[in-house]
Amino acid sequence: PPKQGTLNKFFAGN
Amino acid sequence: MLELRLVQGSLLKKVLEAIKDLVNDANFDCSATGFSLQAMDSSHVALVALLLRSEGFEHYRCDRNLSMGMNLGNMAKMLKCAGNDDIITLKADDGSDTVTFMFESPTQDKISDFEMKLMDIDSEHLGIPEAEYHAIVRMPSSEFGRICKDLSSIGDTVVISVTKEGVKFSTRGDIGTANIVCRQNNTVDKPEEATIIEMTEPVSLTFALRYMNSFTKATPLSSIVTLSLSSDLPVVVEYKIAEMGYIRFYLAPKIEE
């Protein structure tokens, strides 16, 4: 089954 | 000194109902632009971004930028005590560790104030890059809510596929499969009943229905929802808040390993 990704890799912390 | 007077207090009640189950604690940021919030759920899968612009308030005083940490469950409890027609005013003094919610009935014959303790929250403010989306679907929010609810009785995930023909919502579970296709229809009498698809290339992404269902708690805020999709990017589920701003939910897709 597909695995749930997280948002951290899309949005950079600042 | 902070003083924000919102004549349509029910908007704030609805905002809290829409986000309190997704995020426990969050910082509300107050600046000349408006009253805003950005917070992720505890598993960093979903993010909510709220903006209520200063112009939307009858009175908006924010002497300096202020970040107020609040427990959203507790804030929702307090706002539940406001009537749907009440005017809500938020007040906080500089350096105070409390915020006051004042509720005024429309006829001014009942005035309540509720003081809530603020909390220190360490939260990372994420930079959300501007993105070009392959497909933007605008549809009635009630229809989207119905689809998410219906599909979640069959499966745990939804595949959203957009083609020229329309937008397809699919799921599969132990008892079987389900596919719901909504075709573009911009010829309806009322604009809020239209389904409009702007697409530069077909896109198909898989998401957890649990989160989608949580986002649909914002349905009372807007008759229209906008889904912005691109391959390998989080979907944006946006409910515009009339005259004031928006509530946007970002959800990371499920990825084949």
Side-chain angles (χ1 to χ4, degrees):
Chain A
K3 194 181 164 210
Q4 179 64 62
T6 66
L7 291 172
N8 299 64
K9 74 170 193 172
F10 299 104
F11 301 149
N14 56 1
Chain B
M1 172 82 181
L2 170 92
E3 200 168 285
L4 318 180
R5 182 176 158 93
L6 183 61
V7 174
Q8 206 183 337
S10 59
L11 282 182
L12 197 58
K13 287 165 67 78
K14 289 174 187 170
V15 163
L16 262 292
E17 289 307 307
I19 61 178
K20 72 178 169 63
D21 295 331
L22 188 66
V23 176
N24 294 329
D25 305 316
N27 283 316
F28 280 89
D29 297 313
C30 205
S31 71
T33 311
F35 192 59
S36 64
L37 169 148
Q38 190 201 85
M40 278 201 280
D41 81 301
S42 57
S43 54
H44 290 201
V45 170
L47 178 143
V48 55
L50 164 78
L51 174 65
L52 299 175
R53 290 188 196 91
S54 52
E55 304 88 77
F57 291 83
E58 190 205 37
H59 171 71
Y60 190 95
R61 179 177 170 186
C62 175
D63 296 343
R64 60 184 181 86
N65 290 357
L66 195 63
S67 187
M68 294 185 292
M70 301 197 209
N71 175 283
L72 299 188
N74 292 344
M75 187 178 173
K77 277 183 199 170
M78 296 213 164
L79 292 178
K80 269 195 176 164
C81 302
N84 280 330
D85 300 327
D86 282 2
I87 298 164
I88 298 181
T89 303
L90 267 71
K91 292 184 197 177
D93 289 323
D94 286 346
S96 169
D97 58 359
T98 61
V99 60
T100 299
F101 303 105
M102 187 173 84
F103 311 141
E104 296 167 69
S105 67
T107 49
Q108 304 284 313
D109 51 6
K110 181 180 169 193
I111 295 170
S112 326
D113 59 81
F114 290 69
E115 190 181 83
M116 190 177 83
K117 290 174 188 160
L118 295 175
M119 49 199 298
D120 284 325
I121 300 168
D122 261 339
S123 76
E124 190 184 23
H125 201 84
L126 293 173
I128 301 171
E130 286 287 318
E132 291 277 325
Y133 288 96
H134 294 154
I136 297 174
V137 178
R138 184 179 172 277
M139 64 189 292
S141 60
S142 55
E143 186 61 54
F144 177 66
R146 171 80 197 267
I147 290 169
C148 292
K149 183 166 169 277
D150 287 350
L151 293 186
S152 59
S153 65
I154 315 285
D156 297 330
T157 62
V158 58
V159 180
I160 304 180
S161 309
V162 186
T163 62
K164 285 203 300 286
E165 280 71 47
V167 54
K168 183 166 82 169
F169 301 89
S170 309
T171 194
R172 74 174 50 243
D174 294 341
I175 63 166
T177 63
N179 297 291
I180 300 172
V181 177
C182 297
R183 292 210 174 94
Q184 169 145 296
N185 69 337
N186 51 9
T187 54
V188 290
D189 292 340
K190 296 177 187 163
E192 64 269 24
E193 289 173 3
T195 298
I196 296 165
I197 297 168
E198 290 169 37
M199 191 199 81
T200 52
E201 56 181 277
V203 57
S204 182
L205 288 162
T206 304
F207 300 101
L209 272 167
R210 184 166 71 85
Y211 287 96
M212 285 292 181
N213 267 314
S214 174
F215 303 163
T216 63
K217 290 180 181 159
T219 304
L221 284 164
S222 178
S223 58
I224 293 163
V225 65
T226 305
L227 314 177
S228 302
L229 300 126
S230 261
S231 305
D232 306 323
L233 273 187
V235 62
V236 189
V237 180
E238 182 183 63
Y239 296 83
K240 285 214 168 17
I241 302 172
E243 322 283 313
M244 289 212 75
Y246 57 78
I247 183 161
R248 289 179 188 148
F249 299 100
Y250 295 79
L251 177 60
K254 291 200 164 211
I255 304 155
E256 292 290 345
E257 282 188 284

